[in-house]
Amino acid sequence: MYGKFGAVDEAAAVFDRIRRPNVFSWNNIVTVYTQNGFLERAHSEFNAMPERNSVSWNIMVTGYAQTGYLTQAEALLEKMPQHGVVSLSAMVVGFSRSGQTEQAEATFERIVQRNIITWTGFLTGYAQSGYIREAYGIFERMPAWNVVSWTAMIDSLGQMGQLENAKTLFDRVPELNAVSWTAMVAAYAANGHMRECRELFDDMPERGIVSWNAMLAGFGSSLQAGEARRVFGRMPRHNLVSWNTMLALVARNAGSLEGLDIFHGMPARNYKSWNLVVHCHAANGDIGVAGKLVYRMPQHSVVTWTSMVVGYFCKGRVDEAISLFDWIPERNVVTWTGLLAGYAQVSDVGEVFRRMPAHNVVSSTAMIDAYGQNGHLVAAKELFDRLPEANELTLIAMLGAYAAKGCASESKMLFDSSPSQSVLTWNTMVSTYGNSLELCAAMAMFEKMPKHNTVSWNAIVTANARNGHLGGARMIFDTMPYRSSRSWSVMIDSYALSGQCFEAVEMLTLMMWEGFAPDESVFTGVLAACSHQGLLEFGVRLFSLMVSDYSIAPALVHFKCLIALLTRAGQLDSAEQLLNEMPYHPDEVAWVTLLAGCSSHFDVGRASYATCNSSALHVLLGNVYDQQTF
């Protein structure tokens, strides 16, 4: 029981009080350690067991395989007195998840008695690695299907953005039940198709808490905070998943104070709740509050310490991050990858990667991404080439590394040499060409794609807009079969950045009519456009609408847009009052905005009020005096 809730130390204490533990007791404590990522302690207890049965071996092999430590899992598998379906199935899933498809296939062939669970694990492993075509082939080869295999395939197709195939499969399910319905609802939600998601949800013959949570998670992942809160309010009941989903949404929206309010309002909490609220504060730079929460936590895990390590790195407190990492009693691949990601922001990450006791696809992908961020393309490609078999995630990381440096030709060579391309890799190439200002190549790549999903359409719209071809972007946008919130955001931001305020406002209006909830970035774009055009009354109404109708807490950038609107309109008293009363410390841009208005309206007294050491402010103040002189 303790192990399921992450209370590892409590579980260990209970085990230590058992005078003569039997094999069942030993298996339980090893399971606790493997399920919570403490593989070194699990292996230590495994080695200390006076006797082992097949379950003992299966626990350790599965623990290593599921976390990507395939070398250790293989070594144990070879030592097993007898291989069973459980251990071999775990290796199949481990190999397929890491992209080692040949090894997965070979191991699967070793399984003599395959059951529906074995087939489903094989299918799920391929699907989660992005090998959707192969997963679909496995699905069609299965001697029988159950609700798990149907759901796994629908879920996998949804995760890869292949909604048409997911819906076709959904319509083939012989007897739809709540699980099948929820899988399709979740597929739409995961891709931001919240209108279709809502329609399907409304058609469900019965809705359980899982269905409601899928809707809630969909609005949360689309960053539609207002809609998520409305769904949360309509739910007949909430469970821990519901509360944690809201907490995760707030964490992504940088709302540490609201996160704390939700956390304190929860009727019950688990280790995930604690880790989410710690991450919420650490990611937003509130290291002091995060540290106090960690002190109060009933149980810590590798996730807790990883959040704190990354939080210290985000604040530039490198020495403290490294000290904490060195102090952590036990590290797993999650902790090491967190250190890797943090180091990538401030220093060379090669030494960290070399210190890792073992590498899996997650850490290797993080390393390639880190090399790319630091411009070390040769090192990134060398690591990519050393991987036993690159999967889709590592391929996208390498393509992204090339794209960040504008190396479109190298990206294309790598793409062409890949044995299989999925919609994600195609989308990456379209975005690469768009970012490299090669619009014709982006259009040609888009036309060659065997299938498009919403991300594909968004990528080509973005490519057109980024290359100054707004007419083409709008034409493609109007012909899109599906639109997500991101689709609308791209068009609105493009119009706003090009100074076409009225077109941006028109798109915002259409977006609301279509039932999409604008997010923070959309409001930022339109407010900025209103500022450029001097549309004070509309901008103020929009700001109020954002808060009242969409429950979006204004960020500093929204207040700065409003300050710019007021100064442009000559309402300097209101602008100064807002600057002093907003719940953020004014940055240099906010003061520059006010002083620019003072310069335009010859307000020397108010300009002198700003006491900042910024050279830009002093230059502007000098301009105000010069204009007053003339």
Side-chain angles (χ1 to χ4, degrees):
M1 181 182 72
Y2 282 118
K4 291 182 180 179
F5 293 97
V8 176
D9 291 340
E10 286 82 351
V14 171
F15 177 77
D16 290 338
R17 289 198 295 270
I18 301 175
R19 290 186 178 182
R20 295 178 181 175
N22 58 19
V23 68
F24 178 78
S25 307
W26 282 99
N27 287 342
N28 277 337
I29 192 62
V30 173
T31 301
V32 167
Y33 286 137
T34 57
Q35 287 180 345
N36 289 277
F38 295 97
L39 294 178
E40 292 179 13
R41 290 167 71 177
H43 206 151
S44 176
E45 296 290 356
F46 177 81
N47 289 334
M49 293 177 69
E51 60 174 325
R52 308 182 188 106
N53 59 14
S54 60
V55 176
S56 317
W57 288 94
N58 288 335
I59 291 168
M60 279 308 307
V61 171
T62 303
Y64 276 125
Q66 287 181 343
T67 51
Y69 291 104
L70 296 175
T71 302
Q72 291 86 336
E74 280 188 286
L76 275 175
L77 186 69
E78 294 308 315
K79 294 178 182 178
M80 283 184 70
Q82 185 176 1
H83 300 146
V85 64
V86 175
S87 54
L88 289 173
S89 296
M91 292 303 301
V92 168
V93 175
F95 280 131
S96 54
R97 282 180 178 173
S98 66
Q100 300 180 45
T101 53
E102 291 183 6
Q103 292 92 324
E105 186 77 42
T107 307
F108 182 75
E109 293 300 327
R110 291 171 60 185
I111 303 175
V112 179
Q113 295 180 331
R114 302 168 189 153
N115 55 26
I116 189 68
I117 298 174
T118 312
W119 279 98
T120 302
F122 191 29
L123 159 71
T124 305
Y126 269 82
Q128 290 180 348
S129 294
Y131 293 101
I132 298 301
R133 187 180 305 169
E134 292 83 353
Y136 207 90
I138 294 168
F139 180 80
E140 295 296 346
R141 284 166 52 197
M142 292 176 68
W145 299 301
N146 64 1
V147 66
V148 178
S149 50
W150 283 105
T151 303
M153 200 63 227
I154 292 170
D155 181 62
S156 300
L157 290 168
Q159 288 182 24
M160 300 304 295
Q162 298 187 18
L163 292 179
E164 291 182 11
N165 289 339
K167 186 62 166 65
T168 300
L169 200 64
F170 175 77
D171 292 335
R172 285 177 53 193
V173 178
E175 292 185 14
L176 292 170
N177 62 8
V179 177
S180 315
W181 282 94
T182 301
M184 196 62 226
V185 166
Y188 279 128
N191 288 274
H193 290 230
M194 295 313 299
R195 182 176 58 179
E196 293 85 354
C197 177
R198 191 191 293 274
E199 289 173 357
L200 192 67
F201 180 81
D202 291 339
D203 289 339
M204 289 180 69
E206 57 177 319
R207 308 181 192 102
I209 187 67
V210 179
S211 312
W212 280 98
N213 284 338
M215 277 284 289
L216 184 64
F219 284 118
S221 60
S222 301
L223 297 182
Q224 298 184 33
E227 287 299 318
R229 291 185 182 92
R230 274 188 277 274
V231 169
F232 188 78
R234 286 177 53 208
M235 291 176 69
R237 67 185 182 89
H238 306 119
N239 62 6
L240 263 174
V241 175
S242 319
W243 284 100
N244 286 341
T245 300
M246 287 302 298
L247 199 53
L249 170 63
V250 171
R252 284 196 297 270
N253 281 341
S256 52
L257 291 178
E258 185 181 357
L260 204 57
D261 289 341
I262 291 175
F263 181 76
H264 287 315
M266 295 175 69
R269 309 179 187 107
N270 63 3
Y271 71 97
K272 185 175 182 180
S273 316
W274 282 96
N275 282 328
L276 277 170
V277 75
V278 168
H279 171 76
C280 181
H281 285 82
N284 289 298
D286 299 331
I287 294 295
V289 177
K292 291 177 181 177
L293 286 165
V294 169
Y295 181 76
R296 290 173 49 205
M297 285 180 71
Q299 176 63 43
H300 306 125
S301 69
V302 290
V303 178
T304 315
W305 302 121
T306 303
S307 294
M308 291 300 295
V309 167
V310 174
Y312 277 126
F313 270 118
C314 290
K315 291 291 287 183
R317 294 161 66 173
V318 179
D319 292 340
E320 290 169 275
I322 296 171
S323 296
L324 176 59
F325 178 82
D326 290 336
W327 175 84
I328 296 174
E330 184 165 351
R331 309 154 192 149
N332 65 7
V333 69
V334 177
T335 323
W336 280 100
T337 304
L339 182 67
L340 199 62
Y343 241 108
Q345 303 175 42
V346 296
S347 182
D348 180 25
V349 293
E351 180 60 30
V352 176
F353 190 71
R354 285 187 290 271
R355 284 177 57 197
M356 292 180 70
H359 304 135
N360 67 358
V361 67
V362 177
S363 57
S364 297
T365 302
M367 188 65 202
I368 292 171
D369 186 59
Y371 276 138
Q373 288 180 31
N374 288 277
H376 303 316
L377 296 185
V378 175
K381 187 60 166 63
E382 288 177 352
L383 175 57
F384 179 84
D385 291 337
R386 289 201 306 269
L387 295 175
E389 186 173 346
N391 72 352
E392 190 171 54
L393 294 177
T394 53
L395 177 60
I396 290 173
M398 192 64 234
L399 290 173
Y402 280 134
K405 299 296 289 185
C407 302
S409 57
E410 288 84 351
S411 293
K412 185 64 165 63
M413 289 175 60
L414 179 61
F415 176 82
D416 290 338
S417 66
S418 177
S420 63
Q421 289 94 18
S422 71
V423 67
L424 287 180
T425 51
W426 281 97
N427 290 342
T428 304
M429 283 305 303
V430 173
S431 297
T432 299
Y433 280 125
N435 294 339
S436 302
L437 303 183
E438 297 185 31
L439 180 58
C440 292
M443 293 292 291
M445 183 64 69
F446 181 79
E447 293 298 330
K448 290 178 184 176
M449 290 181 68
K451 288 186 178 181
H452 303 117
N453 63 7
T454 308
V455 179
S456 318
W457 287 96
N458 289 344
I460 196 62
V461 169
T462 302
N464 276 268
R466 185 161 289 173
N467 285 268
H469 194 15
L470 277 176
R474 180 62 185 268
M475 188 181 303
I476 294 170
F477 176 86
D478 289 339
T479 59
M480 287 177 68
Y482 294 103
R483 298 190 188 106
S484 65
S485 297
R486 174 63 184 160
S487 315
W488 292 94
S489 179
V490 167
M491 284 305 307
I492 291 171
D493 288 346
S494 300
Y495 280 132
L497 288 172
S498 64
Q500 300 185 38
C501 175
F502 296 105
E503 288 80 358
V505 171
E506 177 197 22
M507 289 299 292
L508 176 63
T509 305
L510 290 173
M511 179 183 186
M512 294 174 175
W513 284 349
E514 288 279 334
F516 289 90
D519 60 15
E520 292 88 341
S521 65
V522 170
F523 280 108
T524 300
V526 181
L527 283 170
C530 291
S531 173
H532 294 150
Q533 292 292 325
L535 301 178
L536 175 62
E537 184 178 349
F538 183 82
V540 171
R541 285 210 313 270
L542 193 65
F543 187 92
S544 300
L545 183 75
M546 178 181 74
V547 176
S548 60
D549 285 23
Y550 292 95
S551 303
I552 296 175
L556 177 60
V557 66
H558 299 122
F559 281 104
K560 289 191 287 190
C561 288
L562 199 55
I563 290 169
L565 270 168
L566 293 167
T567 56
R568 182 179 286 270
Q571 298 188 21
L572 300 181
D573 286 338
S574 299
E576 183 183 340
Q577 182 180 357
L578 180 62
L579 185 142
N580 288 322
E581 294 180 358
M582 65 181 181
Y584 298 96
H585 181 72
D587 61 6
E588 183 173 298
V589 175
W591 286 110
V592 167
T593 302
L594 179 63
L595 283 175
C598 294
S599 176
S600 300
H601 298 280
F602 312 110
D603 192 334
V604 176
R606 196 183 309 275
S608 301
Y609 164 73
T611 56
C612 181
N613 294 323
S614 167
S615 58
L617 293 176
H618 284 298
V619 170
L620 270 175
L621 185 58
N623 290 341
V624 176
Y625 280 119
D626 290 343
Q627 291 176 8
Q628 181 71 14
T629 303
F630 287 112

